[in-house]
Amino acid sequence: METKTPKKKPLAPRVDMPCQPAEVRRANFEEVALGYTREMAIEEAKRCLQCKKPLCVSGCPVEVPIRDFIREVSLGNMDAAYRIIKSTNSLPAVCGRVCPQEHQCEGKCILTAKGQPVAIGRLERFVADTYIATSACEQVTGTNSCALPRGDLKVACIGSGPSSLTCAGVCAAAGIKVDVYEALHEPGGVLIYGIPAFRLPKNVVATEINGLRLAGVDFHLNYVGGRTVEVEELLETHHAVFIGVGAGLPTFLGVPGENLVGVFSANEYLTRVNLGRAYDFPGQDTPAFPGKNVTVFGAGNVAMDAARTALRMGAESVHIVYRRTRAEMPARLEELEHAEEEGVQFAMLSAPVRFNGDAEMRLKSVTLQKMELGEADASGRRRPVAIEGEVFDLPTDLAVVALGTRSNPILLDATPKLKQNKWGYIEVNEETGETSIPNVFAGGDIVTGAATVILAMGAGRKAGQEIVKRLLK
Amino acid sequence: MPTPILHKESLIPGKTSKLVLDAPEIARKAKPGHFVMLRMTPNGERIPLTIADTDAENGTITIVYLVMGKSTALLEALNVGDAILDVCGPLGHPTHIEKKGTVICVGGGTGIAAMHHIAKGHARAGNKVVGVIGARSKDLLLFEKELKSFVDELLISTDDGSYGHKGLVTDLLRDRLKKDKTVFEVVAVGPVPMMAAVAETTRPFGVRTTVSLNPIMVDGIGMCGACRVSVGGKTKFACVDGPEFDGHEVDFPELRRRLAAYREQEKVSIDDYQRTAHGN
């Protein structure tokens, strides 16, 4: 009689995360993804194979001990899981929402070869959300006993985005007094003015920042680095300075008609709605420009954010115009899918030629050139080539340009000693994050150019660890 | 950080006041031509205002505004002892000032206040300063006394002839430029039509003309591009490239239309405010 070899247990499918239905959420600013329940998290955590050499960790810029925290989740020990994440990540509730996990930790997960990777980002988010509202001290340091700030050691961070917050968190956890200087009236940088509430609720950012405050970090708002305070002055009053001012200066297309009324940078459009809370106008004083037919240029996460914001602000149609195809879009797949589900339309293989306005210089339409994909260029992507004569007009009264940013000149102009690279970003020692000025460190977009939240955090953590090492030795 | 109001002087009742603010860190850095971003309430909008004067020793800055919409109405409702919720600055490039001879500083309406700070900078640098100020009528004229205390000459015009020359500042400017060949620069601060007219007046004389622009801003720190203006055919951000530009190169019609972009929302906002402020 034949003996059947027992079949290998089939791999359980990844646990889906509940979302607001597309037809509901496209009319509100509430968070789209609703997060796991405890049962879902435990079920998903049990899919993890607990690899001896976890590849996922090497895929994470801040090297969260992913395997170890997932093991605790699978056992139901959420507090322990939180402490493990916090040992290397100051902002898990943020990272669990906005990191490009599919290219980082999840991209390296061994299960990818057999099906779907473990939903590491969703688990991180669950753990952080579960823990929030408990001991603020623990939120920052991951331990029950905060090292009290040592008044004799002081660090200044310029900017309050992800890189500065991380650097501040690392220093505060070591008991160092930190002053954060923020130019806007609300801390958080791009987490507040850039990423919409439906993707990253403001109270999530506020809670993380409050945790830092309780750990002894002072936030000085309305202080412009390079204007109200200069790097050299801060060096006189602090042992080290971290520059995390981001790369905010918007890039435009450079086509005729770009200064018509109705053409915006993504930064302006998103800042009005997110920081200015224009979705609540006139309850809030900052207005957004009303648009019926909205066109967004670019195909990264910022473009998706702008397009989905426009829908929520009442647009009748929203097009994303991109000169390549869906396959080349740099946005996270999840954001792209969410945008599609909500009704964003895509005008692929199209490039803007000019904006057209009326006598009052208000935007009426954009002229687009049809493209096709040619040979691969230096970046390895197939280059879009114009199809001669194929030009058409798309009616639009609100256009948002989301093509990335350049380095903001304010702090750099005020700090001529700071060595810049050929693209105008700050040059740093890759090992330590230190700039050409001793004890002045930098990280995030002002070093790398526009990148992700998690990469900025990785840079902030590296610099913070170096600062702690130097000050406590 | 809330910024206390130390002194308030009504210049045009209900419309324009001069506020002296306790802002030592800004006062220490502020130079003529700089501006600040203000926000009055937690729900408020960020608005730019040019600094009209500074006193580094006493740690104060002076601002002057014209009540135009809700934000400036909220500002006018504040008094000595109150604080402005957010004051951020100093922002923008300061005025380029060096000792070169005679400079004519032209100011119109509330712009006279900002022009006053620039004129003072030129006077301190040792330049001969001719002030030219204008308003619709005598009671709308600002900073006459302050300007007289340091300028070498002050020429005044009013539209209705109630004080000084009946007519426009550009009439006075044209006459002066015809007579005086020593003028190395004309600086103009005021409403867009006035600055455009000054630039057209000086163009035939080939005199360098600097204008201080007031486009709509959101952050004021080079992040959003709301304040972009076309200068010499190139796009510039008034907040980080300006706010002062060569008046002969500025596209004024574009600036005027961009300033009007939110006219309907501004009306909704001020109507809403007036209704609630009056308890109806």
Side-chain angles (χ1 to χ4, degrees), chain B:
Chain B
M1 160 202 56
T3 302
I5 297 170
L6 300 179
H7 174 78
K8 178 175 182 174
E9 185 184 335
S10 178
L11 304 178
I12 304 167
K15 278 278 169 198
T16 294
S17 296
K18 178 171 117 175
L19 301 181
V20 178
L21 310 178
D22 181 18
E25 273 142 334
I26 300 174
R28 208 154 42 94
K29 298 285 168 85
K31 294 193 174 79
H34 275 144
F35 67 92
V36 286
M37 296 294 296
L38 313 165
R39 201 172 67 118
M40 268 53 80
T41 65
N43 294 350
E45 186 172 18
R46 296 166 63 87
I47 60 161
L49 275 183
T50 307
I51 298 172
D53 210 351
T54 57
D55 183 340
E57 214 166 286
N58 290 313
T60 63
I61 62 168
T62 301
I63 54 169
V64 174
Y65 51 85
L66 173 66
V67 176
M68 296 268 283
K70 182 175 175 183
S71 298
T72 40
L74 286 167
L75 193 52
E76 178 64 5
L78 298 176
N79 288 303
V80 172
D82 294 336
I84 298 174
L85 183 60
D86 297 301
V87 180
C88 171
L91 298 167
H93 286 293
T95 307
H96 178 79
I97 292 175
E98 58 178 317
K99 191 179 172 192
K100 283 190 86 172
T102 304
V103 56
I104 303 182
C105 294
V106 188
T110 322
I112 301 171
M115 179 277 267
H116 152 269
H117 199 204
I118 297 169
K120 201 188 232 181
H122 276 292
R124 281 184 179 155
N127 287 313
K128 183 181 171 192
V129 179
V130 179
V132 181
I133 57 174
R136 286 205 310 280
S137 65
K138 182 173 192 284
D139 51 335
L140 300 177
L141 209 56
L142 310 180
F143 274 68
E144 182 189 352
K145 194 173 75 223
E146 287 88 340
L147 281 162
K148 270 193 175 147
S149 71
F150 64 82
V151 299
D152 297 272
E153 263 180 83
L154 187 64
L155 309 175
I156 295 168
S157 74
T158 49
D159 294 6
D160 63 1
S162 53
Y163 192 47
H165 166 78
K166 180 178 189 323
L168 302 171
V169 285
T170 44
D171 306 337
L172 299 170
L173 176 64
R174 191 178 296 108
D175 287 351
R176 197 67 174 62
L177 287 173
K178 276 182 191 161
K179 283 190 293 197
D180 189 346
K181 303 296 169 205
T182 69
V183 177
F184 79 90
E185 186 180 5
V186 171
V187 178
V189 191
V192 173
M194 187 213 87
M195 290 191 287
V198 166
E200 285 322 305
T201 304
T202 59
R203 198 187 296 276
F205 294 94
V207 178
R208 187 168 107 198
T209 301
T210 302
V211 292
S212 179
L213 304 185
N214 58 334
I216 291 173
M217 288 184 187
V218 179
D219 55 78
I221 51 172
M223 260 175 40
C224 80
C227 63
R228 57 199 198 274
V229 287
S230 296
V231 182
K234 290 201 174 74
T235 294
K236 300 277 181 189
F237 293 174
C239 71
V240 288
D241 299 323
E244 295 179 5
F245 294 101
D246 179 347
H248 295 147
E249 300 270 306
V250 169
D251 184 339
F252 286 106
E254 180 188 281
L255 175 63
R256 183 173 63 79
R257 282 165 171 129
R258 289 187 63 85
L259 275 166
Y262 292 92
R263 194 174 280 157
E264 286 159 35
Q265 289 92 328
E266 282 159 11
K267 196 173 172 329
V268 169
S269 217
I270 189 72
D271 288 353
D272 192 61
Y273 172 67
Q274 280 166 348
R275 212 174 38 245
T276 49
H278 295 121
N280 307 316

